[in-house]
Short mmCIF file of all heavy atoms in Angstrom, two decimals:
data_model
loop_
_atom_site.label_atom_id
_atom_site.label_comp_id
_atom_site.label_asym_id
_atom_site.label_seq_id
_atom_site.Cartn_x
_atom_site.Cartn_y
_atom_site.Cartn_z
N PRO Z 87 -47.12 31.15 -12.73
CA PRO Z 87 -47.02 29.70 -12.44
C PRO Z 87 -48.05 29.24 -11.43
O PRO Z 87 -48.45 28.09 -11.44
CB PRO Z 87 -45.60 29.53 -11.87
CG PRO Z 87 -44.85 30.73 -12.35
CD PRO Z 87 -45.84 31.83 -12.52
N ALA Z 88 -48.47 30.14 -10.55
CA ALA Z 88 -49.55 29.92 -9.58
C ALA Z 88 -49.31 28.71 -8.67
O ALA Z 88 -50.25 28.01 -8.26
CB ALA Z 88 -50.91 29.79 -10.31
N ILE Z 89 -48.06 28.47 -8.31
CA ILE Z 89 -47.72 27.45 -7.30
C ILE Z 89 -47.62 28.11 -5.94
O ILE Z 89 -48.27 27.67 -4.96
CB ILE Z 89 -46.42 26.73 -7.61
CG1 ILE Z 89 -46.45 26.13 -9.06
CG2 ILE Z 89 -46.08 25.69 -6.57
CD1 ILE Z 89 -47.51 25.08 -9.25
N ALA Z 90 -46.86 29.17 -5.82
CA ALA Z 90 -46.74 29.94 -4.60
C ALA Z 90 -46.42 31.38 -5.00
O ALA Z 90 -46.16 31.70 -6.15
CB ALA Z 90 -45.60 29.38 -3.73
N GLY Z 91 -46.54 32.29 -4.03
CA GLY Z 91 -46.27 33.69 -4.34
C GLY Z 91 -45.70 34.46 -3.19
O GLY Z 91 -45.79 34.09 -2.07
N GLY Z 92 -45.16 35.63 -3.55
CA GLY Z 92 -44.66 36.57 -2.57
C GLY Z 92 -45.14 37.97 -2.95
O GLY Z 92 -45.69 38.15 -4.03
N PHE Z 93 -44.95 38.91 -2.09
CA PHE Z 93 -45.48 40.28 -2.34
C PHE Z 93 -44.63 41.34 -1.63
O PHE Z 93 -43.76 41.03 -0.76
CB PHE Z 93 -46.90 40.38 -1.81
CG PHE Z 93 -47.00 40.49 -0.33
CD1 PHE Z 93 -47.22 41.74 0.25
CD2 PHE Z 93 -46.86 39.41 0.49
CE1 PHE Z 93 -47.32 41.88 1.66
CE2 PHE Z 93 -46.94 39.54 1.87
CZ PHE Z 93 -47.15 40.77 2.46
N ASN Z 94 -44.89 42.58 -2.01
CA ASN Z 94 -44.30 43.78 -1.33
C ASN Z 94 -45.39 44.82 -1.39
O ASN Z 94 -45.97 45.05 -2.45
CB ASN Z 94 -43.03 44.21 -2.03
CG ASN Z 94 -42.42 45.47 -1.50
OD1 ASN Z 94 -41.82 46.21 -2.22
ND2 ASN Z 94 -42.51 45.72 -0.20
N VAL Z 95 -45.65 45.47 -0.27
CA VAL Z 95 -46.63 46.56 -0.17
C VAL Z 95 -45.93 47.75 0.55
O VAL Z 95 -45.25 47.60 1.55
CB VAL Z 95 -47.88 46.12 0.66
CG1 VAL Z 95 -48.82 47.31 0.87
CG2 VAL Z 95 -48.62 45.02 -0.07
N ALA Z 96 -46.18 48.94 0.00
CA ALA Z 96 -45.66 50.21 0.56
C ALA Z 96 -46.79 51.21 0.58
O ALA Z 96 -47.62 51.26 -0.29
CB ALA Z 96 -44.52 50.71 -0.26
N ALA Z 97 -46.81 52.04 1.62
CA ALA Z 97 -47.78 53.17 1.73
C ALA Z 97 -47.09 54.48 1.36
O ALA Z 97 -45.93 54.65 1.69
CB ALA Z 97 -48.37 53.18 3.15
N GLY Z 98 -47.82 55.31 0.69
CA GLY Z 98 -47.29 56.60 0.31
C GLY Z 98 -46.95 57.50 1.50
O GLY Z 98 -45.87 57.99 1.66
N ARG Z 99 -47.96 57.67 2.39
CA ARG Z 99 -47.78 58.55 3.54
C ARG Z 99 -48.12 57.88 4.86
O ARG Z 99 -47.59 58.22 5.91
CB ARG Z 99 -48.66 59.81 3.40
CG ARG Z 99 -48.27 60.64 2.12
CD ARG Z 99 -49.05 61.94 1.99
NE ARG Z 99 -49.10 62.69 3.21
CZ ARG Z 99 -50.21 62.95 3.92
NH1 ARG Z 99 -51.38 62.54 3.46
NH2 ARG Z 99 -50.17 63.66 5.02
N GLY Z 100 -49.05 56.94 4.80
CA GLY Z 100 -49.43 56.26 6.04
C GLY Z 100 -48.41 55.21 6.42
O GLY Z 100 -47.28 55.17 5.85
N SER Z 101 -48.79 54.29 7.31
CA SER Z 101 -47.90 53.23 7.67
C SER Z 101 -48.66 51.88 7.62
O SER Z 101 -49.87 51.82 7.47
CB SER Z 101 -47.35 53.47 9.10
OG SER Z 101 -48.41 53.51 10.02
N LEU Z 102 -47.87 50.83 7.65
CA LEU Z 102 -48.43 49.47 7.51
C LEU Z 102 -48.03 48.61 8.71
O LEU Z 102 -47.02 48.86 9.35
CB LEU Z 102 -47.91 48.84 6.23
CG LEU Z 102 -48.15 49.63 4.93
CD1 LEU Z 102 -47.30 49.06 3.80
CD2 LEU Z 102 -49.61 49.59 4.59
N SER Z 103 -48.87 47.58 8.96
CA SER Z 103 -48.45 46.58 9.94
C SER Z 103 -48.99 45.22 9.54
O SER Z 103 -49.91 45.14 8.72
CB SER Z 103 -48.93 46.97 11.35
OG SER Z 103 -50.30 47.08 11.41
N VAL Z 104 -48.43 44.19 10.08
CA VAL Z 104 -48.78 42.79 9.71
C VAL Z 104 -50.02 42.42 10.45
O VAL Z 104 -50.34 42.91 11.52
CB VAL Z 104 -47.62 41.83 9.99
CG1 VAL Z 104 -46.37 42.16 9.19
CG2 VAL Z 104 -47.32 41.79 11.47
N SER Z 105 -50.76 41.42 9.89
CA SER Z 105 -51.89 40.87 10.56
C SER Z 105 -51.83 39.35 10.59
O SER Z 105 -52.74 38.67 10.97
CB SER Z 105 -53.18 41.33 9.89
OG SER Z 105 -53.29 40.77 8.62
N ASP Z 106 -50.67 38.79 10.17
CA ASP Z 106 -50.50 37.31 10.23
C ASP Z 106 -49.02 36.97 10.33
O ASP Z 106 -48.20 37.88 10.31
CB ASP Z 106 -51.09 36.70 8.95
CG ASP Z 106 -50.43 37.11 7.66
OD1 ASP Z 106 -49.17 37.28 7.65
OD2 ASP Z 106 -51.13 37.30 6.68
N THR Z 107 -48.72 35.72 10.53
CA THR Z 107 -47.36 35.30 10.72
C THR Z 107 -46.60 35.04 9.40
O THR Z 107 -45.42 34.75 9.42
CB THR Z 107 -47.27 34.00 11.56
OG1 THR Z 107 -47.98 32.98 10.86
CG2 THR Z 107 -47.84 34.23 12.93
N LEU Z 108 -47.30 35.17 8.26
CA LEU Z 108 -46.66 34.96 6.97
C LEU Z 108 -46.17 36.23 6.32
O LEU Z 108 -45.71 36.23 5.18
CB LEU Z 108 -47.60 34.18 6.05
CG LEU Z 108 -48.00 32.81 6.51
CD1 LEU Z 108 -48.97 32.19 5.53
CD2 LEU Z 108 -46.77 31.92 6.68
N SER Z 109 -46.32 37.31 7.04
CA SER Z 109 -45.88 38.63 6.57
C SER Z 109 -44.93 39.26 7.59
O SER Z 109 -44.99 38.93 8.76
CB SER Z 109 -47.07 39.57 6.38
OG SER Z 109 -48.04 39.01 5.47
N GLN Z 110 -44.16 40.21 7.11
CA GLN Z 110 -43.22 40.90 8.00
C GLN Z 110 -43.08 42.34 7.56
O GLN Z 110 -43.23 42.70 6.42
CB GLN Z 110 -41.86 40.22 8.02
CG GLN Z 110 -41.19 40.18 6.64
CD GLN Z 110 -39.92 39.38 6.69
OE1 GLN Z 110 -39.24 39.25 7.70
NE2 GLN Z 110 -39.54 38.80 5.53
#
Side-chain angles (χ1 to χ4, degrees):
I89 304 298
F93 76 102
N94 177 212
V95 173
R99 297 183 49 244
S101 62
L102 304 167
S103 61
V104 299
S105 68
D106 62 39
T107 59
L108 297 177
S109 302
Q110 61 186 331

